[in-house]
Amino acid sequence: MLRRLLAAGLFIAAGTLVEAVAETYDYIVVGSGPGGAPLAANLARAGYSVTLLEAGLDLGDNKNYSEIYNFIEAGNDEKSRWDFFVKHSEDEAREAKYEKTTWRTADGSFYVGLDPPEGSTRLGIYYPRAATLGGCAMHNGGICTLPNDADWDYIAEITDDDGWLASNMRKYFEKMEANEYLPPNTPGHGYDGYVNTTISDPSFMKQDSDFQKVASQLISHTGGDAGRDVNAADPDRDQATGVFGMASHADRNGKRAGTNTLLKKTLADPAKFNLTVQLETLVTRIIFNWEAGEPSATGVEVLRGSHQYEADPSYDAAKQGKSGRIFARKEVIIAGGSFNSPQILKLSGIGPAKELEKFHIPVVKDLGGVGENLGDNYEAGLQALASKPLNGSTGPFTVFLKTPTARKTRNIQAWCGSFSFEGFWPGFPAEYGPSQYECAIVHINPRSQAGYVRLRSNDPRQMPEINLNFFAEGGDEDLTELLDAVKTFRTALKSVDAPITPFNERHPCPGVNQSCTDEAQKEFIKLQSYSHHATSSCAIGPADDPMAVLDSKFRVHGVKNLRVVDASAFPKVPGAFPVCPTFMLAEKASADILAALAKAE
């Protein structure tokens, strides 16, 4: 009976399985985000039995998650939150200056700031992740921008795999996209995929409103228009600057599209694909056997139950879930994200030998790059208050810049509008009233990827130690580029006519008449930058690179039947927003796996 239920693709809640029956599938996929969800669906649709393991619940029908404009509510919702806390450097004096530092007070609540109540414990810099069916694609802002072509071409170059060339990767975007803002058959776009894409309505530019006046000055200083296609198949796209429409992975009604919706559609398909989704199932370790002296992944160990991971706000160390094992005939595929994928590998004996031995974990494969090379986009912003409440209506729009010291391609993507976004902390964001205006800045291709994810213990329920090591390499160059972007936006805002102006800047140089030095502004940006696009902790690279974890087909070096397919696989941070590149990565992994199966048959 159990096997028939599994074959029917039903959701399995924690604690309902009969332990005496060994679960076996062709593929185990761990994690349901933009890496794992498409891959699991594609393999099931190709005729293979697949189980998808997710530590959280399905919240796809909850409006906090299903409606893209509720992303603030989703990011603060305890039903899905995993509260990670990170560091930005090894310098404790520098860390102590981060204005949104989070503390645990003596009564168990959070305090955010630099003057905590007596008896508080410093937690660090808040970095929420989403434990729910669909992963972080269910709580993000939904911005869908393709990276520079050079980001794809770089992977092809270091691996000698032309499948990674941008000219080839475009087809995966076309496969996944269901475009709703361009005429049918526009080259380079897809219309039948599972990721609906829309842009903010550009018609506000025809209105006589304060927002139109501000946007007009931004266009005057940078070029473009609010309806321009940000993902155009244009050979000069990566040099194009100015205003664009902001594309989101949502339909025209504001409904999120991608991970959760694809899985639900696959499960409900009359073809009855052999996909099983298991919720509240925390993977604790990969199971191996040894063939000809080489480890081969055969399954995973799990804990079944709610709130099993320490990052969960409702975690209780005394309430451990029920242990279980699940086996794979073909492969185990890890898609837990840039924090949890390296943690799972290390707990399973794959990682830097010295670190594993420190925690008495038997070494299966000594791979020094597991958990290293962690990168992220630097995020900052120019925030100011107009001299009057701003009227009109508009969604945010995107601005690309190529600052004077940029390398080969544009290096800044920003989004501007009447909002406040200054990073993450419990209860974020702060609101400053109807006169607030911000251009939030994302730095493309940061020079430093010196961060790490390291174990604190061999307990799979405990969060790892995470340090992003911001600006550790090329810091002054990156800070110069961020400051140059700020200056561009500041000049545009100052050009807006009264009575909207003068703007009273909140940061990085407070006041109406800026007199801050460049050094002071760069210091503010360095201390207060934030991020939420972690990548590269299980990086793709050639076998002779001691820091490479995966080959060009996502296979873990030196381990059979084990892959990692999520944002941790990127050797460098892809563009400004990694969610749609990760969907593309999942499509490539699907194609690679199915092609190998077809060849073997």
Side-chain angles (χ1 to χ4, degrees):
M1 177 63 180
L2 176 60
R3 292 186 186 278
R4 290 198 295 273
L5 286 173
L6 296 178
L10 299 178
F11 285 73
I12 300 176
T16 64
L17 293 177
V18 180
E19 254 337 284
V21 179
E23 290 184 69
T24 304
Y25 305 84
D26 292 329
Y27 290 93
I28 297 171
V29 179
V30 180
S32 65
L39 181 57
N42 288 341
L43 293 174
R45 288 172 179 271
Y48 297 95
S49 63
V50 181
T51 189
L52 178 64
L53 308 181
E54 167 56 52
L57 292 168
D58 173 22
L59 298 167
D61 294 330
N62 183 316
K63 289 186 177 182
N64 280 356
Y65 302 88
S66 63
E67 297 183 8
I68 199 78
Y69 300 111
N70 290 336
F71 73 93
I72 297 295
E73 288 80 2
N76 281 293
D77 194 337
E78 289 192 2
K79 290 188 288 296
S80 73
R81 266 184 17 224
W82 273 8
D83 295 339
F84 287 97
F85 295 91
V86 307
K87 296 172 70 174
H88 283 172
S89 74
E90 303 285 3
D91 183 346
E92 291 299 329
R94 173 177 153 190
E95 294 293 288
K97 297 176 182 177
Y98 186 73
E99 293 177 354
K100 300 299 192 296
T101 297
T102 301
W103 307 71
R104 181 77 69 185
T105 65
D107 66 6
S109 62
F110 288 128
Y111 167 85
V112 178
L114 299 179
D115 187 23
E118 185 176 352
S120 298
T121 301
R122 180 178 170 185
L123 298 174
I125 299 166
Y126 188 54
Y127 203 120
R129 303 282 81 188
T132 183
L133 187 67
C136 289
M138 297 301 292
H139 80 166
N140 66 356
I143 299 177
C144 180
T145 306
L146 300 188
N148 291 329
D149 286 351
D151 292 349
W152 300 122
D153 293 344
Y154 172 76
I155 305 176
E157 178 185 349
I158 65 172
T159 61
D160 290 323
D161 183 345
D162 287 350
W164 283 100
L165 289 172
S167 56
N168 185 62
M169 292 300 295
R170 188 79 186 196
K171 70 185 180 188
Y172 299 122
F173 178 65
E174 294 174 16
K175 179 180 182 295
M176 76 185 215
E177 187 187 26
N179 187 283
E180 295 188 14
Y181 65 90
L182 291 169
N185 301 315
T186 299
H189 285 279
Y191 295 84
D192 301 313
Y194 56 90
V195 180
N196 301 72
T197 59
T198 50
I199 63 170
S200 301
D201 186 356
S203 64
F204 77 95
M205 290 301 297
K206 299 177 181 178
Q207 303 169 2
D208 182 15
S209 71
D210 293 338
F211 291 128
Q212 183 272 336
K213 291 180 174 66
V214 177
S216 292
Q217 286 302 317
L218 285 163
I219 290 172
S220 175
H221 284 78
T222 66
D225 68 74
R228 193 161 46 145
D229 179 19
V230 72
N231 291 323
D234 181 342
D236 296 323
R237 176 182 66 101
D238 300 342
Q239 302 297 329
T241 58
V243 173
F244 290 79
M246 192 175 81
S248 300
H249 60 90
D251 68 18
R252 60 174 55 93
N253 296 314
K255 300 291 185 181
R256 283 185 186 273
T259 50
N260 188 286
T261 51
L262 172 62
L263 292 170
K264 297 287 186 60
K265 185 177 180 179
T266 303
L267 290 167
D269 196 294
K272 298 188 182 300
F273 299 115
N274 200 347
L275 172 65
T276 303
V277 175
Q278 302 196 45
L279 302 173
E280 295 191 317
T281 303
L282 178 72
V283 171
T284 60
R285 191 175 72 87
I286 303 163
I287 303 169
F288 300 98
N289 67 15
W290 292 77
E291 299 176 0
E294 187 176 37
S296 176
T298 59
V300 296
E301 295 181 352
V302 301
L303 285 177
R304 303 184 189 279
S306 58
H307 316 300
Q308 289 299 297
Y309 194 61
E310 183 185 36
D312 190 313
S314 299
Y315 172 77
D316 183 344
K319 296 181 180 179
Q320 182 164 314
K322 186 176 182 181
S323 299
R325 287 187 163 198
I326 307 170
F327 294 94
R329 300 182 191 92
K330 294 186 179 295
E331 292 185 358
V332 174
I333 302 169
I334 306 299
S338 294
F339 296 161
N340 290 106
S341 286
Q343 182 180 21
I344 292 169
L345 291 183
K346 289 182 179 185
L347 290 167
S348 306
I350 300 172
K354 287 185 178 180
E355 181 181 352
L356 303 183
E357 291 164 355
K358 175 182 176 182
F359 298 110
H360 309 291
I361 298 171
V363 178
V364 173
K365 182 65 178 178
D366 181 7
L367 283 179
V370 176
E372 303 300 308
N373 195 53
L374 180 68
D376 212 328
N377 299 114
Y378 300 132
E379 299 185 53
L382 171 68
Q383 188 183 85
L385 304 178
S387 291
K388 62 180 289 294
L390 298 171
N391 64 48
S393 61
T394 177
F397 52 87
T398 280
V399 186
F400 275 97
L401 301 177
K402 185 177 181 182
T403 64
T405 59
R407 288 162 285 179
K408 293 181 179 180
T409 56
R410 57 194 184 182
N411 59 330
I412 297 291
Q413 183 176 350
W415 70 104
C416 300
S418 181
F419 61 85
S420 167
F421 193 66
E422 302 166 284
F424 297 88
W425 60 89
F428 76 97
E431 294 288 340
Y432 301 101
S435 65
Q436 67 184 7
Y437 198 88
E438 182 166 349
C439 285
I441 298 167
V442 179
H443 187 260
I444 299 171
N445 297 141
R447 289 168 173 81
S448 181
Q449 290 202 189
Y452 58 78
V453 179
R454 296 175 185 165
L455 298 177
R456 297 182 188 273
S457 73
N458 60 11
D459 181 356
R461 304 176 76 192
Q462 185 173 30
M463 288 182 285
E465 178 187 2
I466 302 163
N467 190 331
L468 294 161
N469 270 330
F470 273 10
F471 304 106
E473 300 166 2
D476 192 64
E477 292 94 331
D478 286 346
L479 287 165
T480 295
E481 293 178 7
L482 286 162
L483 179 56
D484 284 341
V486 166
K487 290 178 177 179
T488 296
F489 294 124
R490 181 181 292 144
T491 299
L493 293 188
K494 283 179 174 292
S495 300
V496 180
D497 291 336
I500 298 172
T501 54
F503 278 92
N504 184 3
E505 189 171 316
R506 294 197 69 257
H507 55 71
C509 184
V512 173
N513 298 310
Q514 279 68 44
S515 59
C516 305
T517 65
D518 286 359
E519 288 72 20
Q521 293 179 79
K522 287 163 73 172
E523 181 70 3
F524 177 89
I525 294 169
K526 180 178 181 179
L527 292 175
Q528 308 306 330
S529 289
Y530 55 92
S531 63
H532 61 305
H533 302 156
T535 71
S536 310
S537 53
C538 298
I540 289 171
D544 60 0
D545 179 351
M547 299 306 289
V549 178
L550 312 174
D551 70 9
S552 69
K553 308 298 184 187
F554 306 91
R555 297 172 294 207
V556 176
H557 284 303
V559 183
K560 296 177 65 176
N561 301 326
L562 179 64
R563 302 187 203 233
V564 178
V565 181
D566 59 26
S568 72
F570 290 109
K572 295 195 298 187
V573 183
F577 293 92
V579 61
C580 279
T582 304
F583 280 119
M584 296 167 68
L585 180 145
E587 289 299 328
K588 185 182 188 305
S590 302
D592 288 343
I593 293 170
L594 295 175
L597 289 167
K599 185 177 180 180
E601 293 171 358

